[in-house]
Amino acid sequence: MKTLYLHVGNFKTGTSSIQRICHDSDLDVLYPKSCRPQNNTTNHGRLTLSLLRDYGVPSPTWFNGKNIIFKNELEAIQQEILSSPKDKVLISSEELFSICASGKGDEIAEALQSSFREFSVKIIMYIREPLSFLNSWYNQLNKGPHSTQNLLMFFQGVEESLLSQLPVYKVFLQTLRRRELNSQIISPDWP
């Protein structure tokens, strides 16, 4: 049985660096070429964003994927995984974190994980200290010529789900437990 690692990369937790290394390196782990957006070829956002769209969650403005269908993306990545001799697979997308902020987190996480029921699914999620995360997010948004927002205004507009990462962890954990898959969460010892 192949092991599938779903990297639930929250924003500003080193996800892009991990994706770049996996994209640029020849590893013992398959980092599928399928499901990568044209304007961000190091992650598997097409898979996650097309699934979210099926559940009525609007896509971010950068995602130009109106004609991208989850079923087709899923078939492409499954075919690539099954045809690879590698036993370990990593799928990484910041948008996996967005599943839980959608208001339909349990339902969507279960749909995604059941799509890979023939694999041993393991969830990888990096957690960043909330104030450090907030500072990094603020600095990222204020790069460039149009950065006029002050920290207080930014802080008031931040969604709680971005800072409180434990509920995201719990959505994926509960889904794995409900489905009784041969799966696990790789994380600290949290309740």
Side-chain angles (χ1 to χ4, degrees):
M1 176 182 289
K2 293 191 180 207
T3 301
L4 173 67
Y5 296 91
L6 285 177
H7 177 211
V8 181
N10 191 9
F11 308 97
K12 309 310 292 177
T13 60
T15 304
S16 297
S17 296
I18 292 167
Q19 292 166 347
R20 175 58 58 196
I21 290 167
C22 292
H23 172 76
D24 292 343
S25 304
D26 183 21
L27 306 171
D28 290 335
V29 175
L30 173 66
Y31 193 68
K33 294 180 179 8
S34 306
C35 303
R36 297 185 190 182
Q38 289 180 341
N39 55 351
N40 191 348
T41 60
T42 61
N43 75 56
H44 301 101
R46 286 172 51 153
L47 180 72
T48 309
L49 290 169
S50 60
L51 175 62
L52 284 165
R53 191 178 52 232
D54 283 357
Y55 282 86
V57 178
S59 299
T61 55
W62 63 263
F63 182 60
N64 186 12
K66 292 179 182 175
N67 298 324
I68 296 173
I69 300 167
F70 174 71
K71 179 183 173 194
N72 297 343
E73 295 299 311
L74 180 62
E75 288 174 5
I77 205 163
Q78 286 175 333
Q79 184 177 20
E80 185 176 352
I81 292 169
L82 293 173
S83 65
S84 172
K86 296 182 178 180
D87 291 331
K88 296 176 183 170
V89 181
L90 174 63
I91 295 176
S92 178
S93 173
E94 289 89 337
E95 305 307 330
L96 286 166
F97 191 89
S98 300
I99 286 175
C100 301
S102 70
K104 301 175 184 178
D106 290 334
E107 186 179 356
I108 299 172
E110 187 162 334
L112 178 65
Q113 291 178 45
S114 67
S115 297
F116 294 106
R117 75 180 79 214
E118 67 271 18
F119 306 108
S120 172
V121 178
K122 298 185 180 193
I123 306 296
I124 301 171
M125 182 176 164
Y126 290 95
I127 308 263
R128 186 169 182 176
E129 190 275 324
L131 292 177
S132 171
F133 168 80
L134 184 66
N135 186 49
S136 180
W137 188 260
Y138 173 74
N139 290 333
Q140 177 73 30
L141 292 177
N142 281 301
K143 290 180 181 176
H146 304 294
S147 55
T148 58
Q149 193 175 41
N150 67 46
L151 181 61
L152 182 58
M153 295 298 289
F154 166 74
F155 185 74
Q156 289 175 338
V158 171
E159 290 186 36
E160 187 178 321
S161 64
L162 288 176
L163 294 176
S164 179
Q165 299 160 71
L166 185 58
V168 174
Y169 162 82
K170 287 183 177 180
V171 164
F172 281 95
L173 179 64
Q174 291 167 356
T175 302
L176 289 174
R177 286 181 178 158
R178 273 196 312 272
R179 297 204 53 81
E180 297 180 6
L181 296 171
N182 181 18
S183 306
Q184 72 184 75
I185 302 277
I186 301 170
S187 72
D189 293 327
W190 287 350

